[in-house]
């Protein structure tokens, strides 16, 4: 079936998947460095010298070569390509159902973004767990399918949904806050810019602003999610307590720089590519 003949939700899924593919390939190294920073924090003794982003980056290149920075890219693709497609198709469907015309208000944007992320986050959580384990360097999985089988066999299927609450507490607010800031920033653009050839660049800039704010707000939940998924025997409350006791409040912002860079750039690129593709095929995003 040609894309032009497909239902609008399928078109949104395809556009979202392609935008997710581009952004994942470019920014996977930042996600790996973020995960390594957070898992290194979990193995450090209280009072130890903190490891920085550049140190982790150089260490990965030195011990695993340059391609080591893309370790975990296969589960990232397995999660992001369908995950971003599910997110954008759900977002599009919700927007068409509840908002026939006009831009969403701030509250509506939060609900649309959060609702779409809830659906995508739950569906793709098993792949998210495998992706986190690939990146942390503690597990020696060979493939995504092999990792899924190994976890089910040794830990039980429930382990594939470890960190569900922390993941939703991170991703749902991030997406809701991001869509709110992004839509409001776009609405504030002068009409002559929105209608000009520089509109994609302006939209990308709005996405960067929205991404930075949303990343900082949700960083503590990302730290907890990583700890729970790497150590599935931990409960969310235990992970929160461990991080606070061992590292204080600053422990909840470990990996904030690479995560903010990655989430901001990925979200800005994904939304820009998605909206341009939707416009190209004649649909209003």
């Amino acid at each position: 079936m040609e894309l032009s003949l497909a239902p609008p939700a399928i078109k949104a899924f395809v556009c979202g998947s392609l935008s997710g593919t581009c952004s994942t390939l470019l920014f996977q190294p930042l996600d790996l460095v973020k995960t390594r920073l957070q898992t290194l924090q979990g193995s450090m003794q209280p009072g130890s010298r903190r490891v920085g982003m550049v140190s982790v980056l150089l260490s990965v290149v030195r011990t695993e070569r340059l391609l080591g920075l893309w370790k975990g890219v296969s589960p990232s693709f397995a999660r992001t390509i369908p995950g971003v497609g599910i997110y954008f198709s759900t977002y599009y469907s919700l927007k068409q159902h509840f908002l026939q015309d006009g831009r969403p208000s701030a509250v509506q944007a939060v609900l649309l973004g959060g609702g779409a992320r809830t659906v995508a986050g739950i569906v793709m959580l098993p792949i998210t767990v495998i992706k986190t384990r690939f990146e942390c360097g503690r597990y020696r999985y060979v493939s995504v399918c092999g990792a899924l089988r190994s976890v089910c066999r040794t830990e039980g299927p429930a382990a594939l949904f470890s960190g569900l609450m922390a993941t939703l507490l991170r991703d749902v607010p991030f997406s809701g806050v991001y869509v709110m800031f992004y839509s409001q920033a776009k609405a504030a653009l002068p009409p002559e810019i929105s209608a000009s050839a520089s509109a994609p660049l302006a939209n990308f800039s709005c996405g960067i602003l929205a991404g930075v704010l949303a990343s900082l707000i949700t960083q503590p939940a990302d730290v907890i999610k990583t700890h729970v998924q790497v150590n599935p025997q931990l409960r969310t409350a235990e992970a929160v307590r461990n991080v606070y006791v061992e590292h204080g409040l600053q422990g909840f912002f470990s990996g904030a720089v690479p995560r903010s860079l990655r989430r901001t750039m990925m979200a800005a690129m994904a939304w820009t590519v998605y909206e341009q593709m939707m416009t190209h095929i004649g649909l209003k995003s």
Side-chain angles (χ1 to χ4, degrees):
M1 180 173 59
E2 295 184 5
L3 184 59
S4 59
L5 301 178
I10 299 298
K11 294 180 182 179
F13 179 89
V14 173
C15 292
S17 296
L18 290 175
S19 70
T21 302
C22 298
S23 56
T24 297
L25 187 61
L26 283 174
F27 304 119
Q28 174 63 20
L30 289 172
D31 201 30
L32 181 135
V33 171
K34 180 268 299 184
T35 301
R36 293 289 176 91
L37 279 172
Q38 292 176 352
T39 52
L40 278 174
Q41 170 191 268
S43 61
M44 288 170 58
Q45 296 297 320
S48 300
R49 182 181 177 184
R50 297 181 66 81
V51 180
M53 172 181 167
V54 176
S55 299
V56 172
L57 184 69
L58 294 176
S59 175
V60 172
V61 173
R62 184 169 57 251
T63 59
E64 304 173 45
R65 301 187 178 181
L66 188 62
L67 288 179
L69 293 172
W70 275 268
K71 190 172 185 178
V73 74
S74 56
S76 286
F77 276 141
R79 183 192 69 159
T80 303
I81 294 175
V84 176
I86 291 170
Y87 171 78
F88 278 118
S89 61
T90 304
Y91 174 85
Y92 179 84
S93 298
L94 289 173
K95 188 176 179 182
Q96 293 301 306
H97 182 76
F98 293 106
L99 292 174
Q100 299 300 325
D101 298 299
R103 294 182 181 274
S105 66
V107 174
Q108 289 170 331
V110 170
L111 295 176
L112 286 172
R117 180 55 61 192
T118 299
V119 174
I122 293 174
V123 172
M124 300 308 300
L125 186 62
I127 304 299
T128 302
V129 172
I130 298 304
K131 168 186 166 295
T132 302
R133 293 189 177 194
F134 260 93
E135 293 170 351
C136 77
R138 297 183 186 177
Y139 296 85
R140 294 293 178 262
Y141 299 134
V142 176
S143 66
V144 175
C145 291
L148 288 169
R149 287 195 299 269
S150 176
V151 172
C152 288
R153 185 173 60 253
T154 60
E155 304 173 43
L160 292 174
F161 289 88
S162 60
L164 173 61
M165 186 58 65
T167 299
L168 293 180
L169 287 175
R170 177 198 67 169
D171 288 350
V172 173
F174 176 91
S175 186
V177 171
Y178 180 91
V179 174
M180 178 189 71
F181 283 128
Y182 180 67
S183 61
Q184 296 303 303
K186 279 184 61 180
L189 291 174
E192 56 270 20
I193 293 181
S194 300
S196 70
S198 61
L201 180 60
N203 292 345
F204 189 79
S205 299
C206 292
I208 290 177
L209 174 62
V212 169
L213 295 172
S215 292
L216 292 176
I217 291 171
T218 58
Q219 178 62 24
D222 184 68
V223 172
I224 300 306
K225 180 223 60 142
T226 299
H227 280 265
V228 172
Q229 290 180 343
V230 172
N231 304 288
Q233 71 277 9
L234 280 179
R235 296 183 180 274
T236 300
E238 292 173 331
V240 172
R241 183 171 60 252
N242 290 349
V243 171
Y244 180 75
V245 169
E246 295 176 9
H247 305 283
L249 289 177
Q250 65 178 357
F252 292 105
F253 291 90
S254 178
V257 173
R259 176 175 179 261
S260 293
L261 286 172
R262 175 187 173 274
R263 288 301 299 262
T264 296
M265 299 300 288
M266 279 193 70
M269 173 174 282
W271 273 92
T272 301
V273 172
Y274 165 75
E275 291 185 331
Q276 289 302 113
M277 291 186 66
M278 291 288 279
T279 300
H280 181 71
I281 62 177
L283 287 178
K284 186 177 179 180
S285 59

